[in-house]
Amino acid sequence: MSLAKRIIPCLDVDNGRVVKGVNFVDIRDAGDPVEVAARYNREGADEITFLDITASSDDRETTVHMVEAIASEVFIPLTVGGGIRKVEDIRTMLNAGADKVAINTAAIHNPELVREAAEYYGSQCIVVAIDAKKVSKEGEPDRWDIFTHGGRNDTGIDAVEWAKKMAEYGAGELLVTSMDKDGTKSGFNIPLTKAITDAVNIPVIASGGVGNLQHLADGVLKAGADAVLAASIFHFNEYTVGEAKAYMQEQGIEVRI
Amino acid sequence: MTIAVIDYSMGNLHSVHKALQHVTDDKVIITSSPDDILNADRIVFPGQGAARDCMNELHKRELVDVVKEVSQTKPFLGVCMGMQVLMEHSVEGGGVDCIGLYNGTVQHFTDHIGATDAAGSRLKIPQMGWNQIRQTQNHPLWKDIKDQARFYFVHSYFVDPDDKAIIAGETEFGIHYPSAIAKENVFAIQAHPEKSADDGLQLLKNFTQWDGQA
């Protein structure tokens, strides 16, 4: 008996509604974030990740209220990401009831933010989100870069090197999303995720591409992830979190039932 | 009845506050006022972050003696760092003296475990996630919580009390370490009950109903 692998449903929230699109376009409405989070909690989710994808920062206030509402009803860890740019944003979200914040683009522009935040609030609440896309050509060894703007802008930063650097800077956990796989329902990007889990000694959450329960199990068994994140398979009731856990347990993975 | 959650600006007190409000109608206050703490009926002592910072903040607010006093007189629940600083000394950050309610130290996992457990699973530090607690004492705070229930943990250090009789729960992470201690009116737990779903809420509820007798 030991530490369980975690299943983390992800809420992508736009203007106060849960949405999920294929590669961030074709957005489908999946409900009220507070209700959806409460349902996942009842189904036995190990954590909830809330990603604010609202384009305009005017609506940040909505997000804060939503985080407060979720934190008053759902007593499992809550990670909030999207629009976290400075230390004050982190404080706002932690005060609203988030347990961790996910820093993405801001870490690329200002890696010191991660160091500063980890020193001040502790590594346990600092998640660095890495959106990576394959840049190596056919026949070359695999190589992935960090992309921003929903996968449109190549930063030229190597994803595995970046992961190591962020761990050094004090990130407590890495959320690794494959931009090639996200929304495709064809499974996690195993080589990318494994390259990162092999390179760092902090927990890694695999994200992007889950279409069935075997994909979740593969994230742990083949890529060595400590947690697996999925959105649409849970939102549209294709599977419950409980079914996912039962399946993973059958595959010999330790889960919290 | 008033429950005081001690605020020394270390960690997410709001989670503890919200979870307590969810399980009791008693008044729950977040406070750093010695008077409020001394007048409360029950005390919750949470905490996150580094031991040195915690001790500095407690000293700055002149709360060390207050915590020491209420930990000997009222039903008292220590959570995470609020458990660790009850010991005499922590090895964290080159070593820091703590409150010293119990003889013993706070140790770092890396000094006691390898890179993997016996089954070959990697042991990443901090331990982050849901692990099991084996209840090694019958205690009112374990009421209606199954032995080996999973709680949410995030930590790199663990307590090692001299008096093994105060250990109330044990968890395995490369080694078996004390994840809960209890003596007289004190119960302290390394996991975060406020983030441990139904079992965590049950533990908090048990605390709000506890008379402080072991």
Side-chain angles (χ1 to χ4, degrees):
Chain A
M1 288 300 168
S2 57
L3 194 63
K5 300 297 179 185
R6 289 169 280 155
I7 296 188
I8 307 177
C10 177
L11 317 181
D12 293 289
V13 179
D14 185 16
N15 278 316
R17 299 291 290 178
V18 179
V19 296
K20 186 64 196 179
V22 176
N23 290 327
F24 299 139
V25 292
D26 183 26
I27 282 166
R28 293 164 72 185
D29 189 289
D32 171 61
V34 182
E35 282 169 25
V36 175
R39 168 159 64 90
Y40 292 151
N41 180 45
R42 283 194 302 276
E43 289 178 5
D46 296 311
E47 290 186 34
I48 303 240
T49 290
F50 179 114
L51 292 181
D52 181 13
I53 60 166
T54 311
S56 118
S57 54
D58 305 347
D59 299 307
R60 201 68 59 204
E61 212 42 37
T62 315
T63 305
V64 173
H65 292 313
M66 214 144 264
V67 169
E68 279 171 353
I70 294 175
S72 304
E73 281 190 42
V74 173
F75 298 99
I76 56 176
L78 174 65
T79 301
V80 179
I84 304 290
R85 295 192 177 84
K86 37 191 203 299
V87 170
E88 294 86 275
D89 298 332
I90 298 171
R91 183 179 307 128
T92 303
M93 288 308 171
L94 294 178
N95 283 342
D99 299 285
K100 314 181 199 181
V101 293
I103 308 175
N104 191 338
T105 317
I108 296 161
H109 296 317
N110 176 22
E112 285 300 322
L113 173 66
V114 173
R115 200 197 295 274
E116 207 183 315
E119 272 171 18
Y120 198 82
Y121 294 107
S123 292
Q124 83 286 340
C125 66
I126 305 301
V127 181
V128 171
I130 297 178
D131 291 346
K133 205 164 165 176
K134 193 169 175 178
V135 289
S136 50
K137 303 213 168 50
E138 228 19 72
E140 288 178 3
D142 281 341
R143 204 157 48 76
W144 304 268
D145 274 1
I146 306 293
F147 276 67
T148 59
H149 298 86
R152 289 190 299 277
N153 291 10
D154 185 354
T155 62
I157 300 168
D158 180 83
V160 177
E161 290 307 313
W162 179 247
K164 285 197 250 181
K165 180 170 169 178
M166 288 297 97
E168 256 167 52
Y169 274 47
E173 192 165 49
L174 301 174
L175 168 58
V176 179
T177 304
S178 162
M179 301 308 285
D180 300 300
K181 290 287 201 166
D182 200 39
T184 64
K185 295 192 159 253
S186 60
F188 291 124
N189 187 327
I190 300 292
L192 164 71
T193 314
K194 187 168 188 326
I196 290 178
T197 56
D198 285 347
V200 298
N201 201 37
I202 55 175
V204 172
I205 306 165
S207 158
V210 173
N212 61 46
L213 301 183
Q214 186 59 47
H215 293 154
L216 292 175
D218 287 345
V220 174
L221 298 173
K222 295 186 178 165
D226 302 277
V228 287
L229 180 141
S232 56
I233 62 160
F234 297 131
H235 296 336
F236 300 109
N237 291 309
E238 288 165 55
Y239 303 98
T240 65
V241 176
E243 285 166 351
K245 287 191 164 180
Y247 186 88
M248 288 171 75
Q249 193 175 44
E250 275 169 34
Q251 307 279 304
I253 299 169
E254 195 149 341
V255 290
R256 176 177 74 105
I257 298 273
Chain B
M1 293 288 260
T2 302
I3 303 171
V5 179
I6 301 179
D7 176 10
Y8 54 114
S9 82
M10 294 305 295
N12 199 348
L13 306 167
H14 301 273
S15 299
V16 179
H17 184 242
K18 283 183 171 131
L20 284 165
Q21 280 183 321
H22 195 78
V23 298
T24 181
D25 293 328
D26 290 348
K27 194 172 162 199
V28 185
I29 56 171
I30 296 179
T31 180
S32 56
S33 143
D35 283 346
D36 285 353
I37 297 166
L38 292 166
N39 287 329
D41 300 292
R42 296 172 196 285
I43 307 295
V44 177
F45 184 46
Q48 252 177 14
R52 180 177 304 281
D53 297 340
C54 280
M55 288 311 298
N56 284 344
E57 294 295 332
L58 287 170
H59 282 297
K60 214 158 74 189
R61 291 170 169 72
E62 299 186 341
L63 286 175
V64 174
D65 289 340
V66 175
V67 171
K68 228 176 180 165
E69 181 175 337
V70 293
S71 65
Q72 293 173 74
T73 51
K74 300 171 194 285
F76 182 99
L77 177 64
V79 175
C80 194
M81 184 53 73
M83 172 195 200
Q84 294 183 6
V85 293
L86 297 179
M87 308 308 290
E88 286 175 292
H89 185 84
S90 171
V91 300
E92 189 167 349
V96 52
D97 287 333
C98 298
I99 292 172
L101 183 65
Y102 300 117
N103 293 332
T105 56
V106 182
Q107 296 286 322
H108 197 281
F109 275 127
T110 49
D111 297 331
H112 298 271
I113 64 176
T116 59
D117 66 14
S121 292
R122 276 174 70 189
L123 299 169
K124 299 183 183 182
I125 294 166
Q127 167 173 230
M128 188 185 288
W130 298 79
N131 207 337
Q132 292 173 296
I133 301 180
R134 188 170 72 84
Q135 297 165 12
T136 55
Q137 264 188 39
N138 269 325
H139 195 281
L141 264 67
W142 292 135
K143 184 178 155 257
D144 293 333
I145 298 171
K146 283 203 179 93
D147 190 29
Q148 303 280 9
R150 285 187 188 272
F151 282 75
Y152 187 77
F153 289 84
V154 184
H155 64 126
S156 306
Y157 296 82
F158 63 93
V159 300
D160 184 19
D162 291 352
D163 179 6
K164 305 301 175 202
I166 70 171
I167 297 171
E170 224 179 45
T171 294
E172 185 179 352
F173 185 69
I175 49 162
H176 292 273
Y177 70 91
S179 51
I181 55 176
K183 192 183 178 187
E184 295 158 354
N185 58 302
V186 173
F187 189 95
I189 183 164
Q190 180 62 60
H192 287 275
E194 75 282 9
K195 287 289 152 185
S196 294
D198 292 346
D199 286 324
L201 292 175
Q202 182 65 46
L203 188 132
L204 292 176
K205 191 175 171 188
N206 292 342
F207 175 69
T208 65
Q209 298 172 348
W210 182 35
D211 61 4
Q213 308 289 315

